[in-house]
Amino acid sequence: MPGRRDVLKFAAASLTLLVSRVGAGATAASSILAVRVWPARDYTRVTLEHDQAIRYSHMLVKDPERLVLDLEGVEFNSVLQMLPSKIIDADPYIRLIRAGRNKPGVVRLVIELKGEVKPQVFALKPVGEYGHRLVLDLYPAEPVDPLMALLEKSAEPPLKAEPGLGQRPAQPAAGSEKPEPGPEIARLITIVLDPGHGGEDPGAVGRGGSYEKHVTLSVARRLKQKIDATPNMRSVLTRDGDYFIPLNQRVQKARRVQADLFLSVHADAFIKSTARGSSVFVLSENGASSSAARWLANKENSADLVGGVNIGVKDPYLARTLLDLSQTATINDSLKLGKDVLGELGRINTLHKAHVEQAGFAVLKAPDIPSILIETAFISNPEEEARLNDEAYQDRMAEAILKGIRRYFAKNPPLAKSKLARLD
Ligand SMILES: [Zn+2]
């Protein structure tokens, strides 16, 4: 920990002031190295990357809604001056940012908001390519519910939205008052597609400069279209934009919509540019199936460090997931799904590994949803990088994955949904 963290809280009717100190020894002026803004429907993130720890405080002010952030001992340099110009009109939460020197040694940012937000402001220590980061996450006061998003988009909604569902985000989707009809032969299947990485976390970067996070989103969007065009199937993306989602929240989104399957889409990378081919992974409860699989799981799990998680926020869900006894049965189904998808990928690409591998991937830990992680190809291989950026190839990749999914369901027809465990 870089020094202790002091939190002073002044609660008034319309004013909250939080003062945090990071890096108690910081005396020389810190320079802002980069500013990034990641607008998304889930939340908008503003990142200030700087060369040494800084002191900061923030307060939320009403009428109109705005967030005021004071940065102590920070130069008001040209990078920081660029921040206001990075706000787009379509940003769901930020109207505009004003930046200026407030008093000697203090730079003040005033973020004018489009509505009420619940801000999280936290510091991240240097990791990977990044220096120190100060992160402002602006969440809506009323959380966005992926289930509602699904219902809005679905052409044939099978789930009945209850009044007040938005106020009770942990409510299971089976909100229908009517009892389930007998055995369902062809019920609607919900597939959650998880484009790996996003926002602050670019994932692997190809030699030609392409980012894994863009390739994964592109392939997942194509797959979503194909699934949605398939009778009795629909899909939800964990993210449909360039922003970061912690790994456990990807799992939670899948559980909230009672997904039948969860597919995390990635692109592999290795030091040697000759490494190539597709591979498929599932969760392992007892260690990795190979050292390469363990290495990969560690790499994918580091997404939270790079992407930036506020460790001050407790996640009671994660501990529960690890203890769930239904995991073994789910892993068996995941292996079957993985095999079918791998078989189809083998028709359009070299296979990096001819069998499904297992390791402790955090994103595959839904206890009750068969989950696989697909490494579509090696973005570190120039030839495969070019193919990953090719729309026709992305389409073939999506088609192959869909075929694998259909093959799996042909052999393992979906059962009537039992009452799922409540999340709350
Ligand atoms: Zn990845």
Side-chain angles (χ1 to χ4, degrees), residues 268-309:
D268 218 333
F270 194 60
I271 311 132
K272 287 183 182 167
S273 64
T274 48
R276 64 182 309 133
S278 308
S279 43
V280 174
F281 297 83
V282 310
L283 182 65
S284 166
E285 285 180 297
N286 317 303
S289 57
S290 70
S291 55
R294 184 181 309 116
W295 182 81
L296 185 74
N298 285 338
K299 188 160 68 83
E300 296 295 4
N301 290 349
S302 72
D304 276 356
L305 284 175
V306 180
V309 173

Side-chain angles (χ1 to χ4, degrees), residues 197 212 266 300:
H197 313 280
E212 180 184 358
H266 290 256
E300 296 295 4

Side-chain angles (χ1 to χ4, degrees), residues 40-43 93 140-149 166 169 253 256:
R41 195 179 167 199
D42 282 21
Y43 72 109
Y93 304 107
E142 289 275 311
V144 176
D145 192 324
L147 180 59
M148 294 306 286
K253 283 189 176 195
R256 288 260 293 277

Side-chain angles (χ1 to χ4, degrees), residues 161-208:
E162 288 184 340
L165 193 63
Q167 278 77 50
R168 293 152 64 196
Q171 180 74 19
S176 167
E177 305 93 325
K178 289 176 197 155
E180 290 276 349
E184 283 172 285
I185 286 119
R187 69 167 173 80
L188 190 59
I189 292 167
T190 303
I191 297 168
V192 167
L193 302 175
D194 174 49
H197 313 280
E200 291 279 292
D201 172 21
V205 182
R207 269 145 233 261

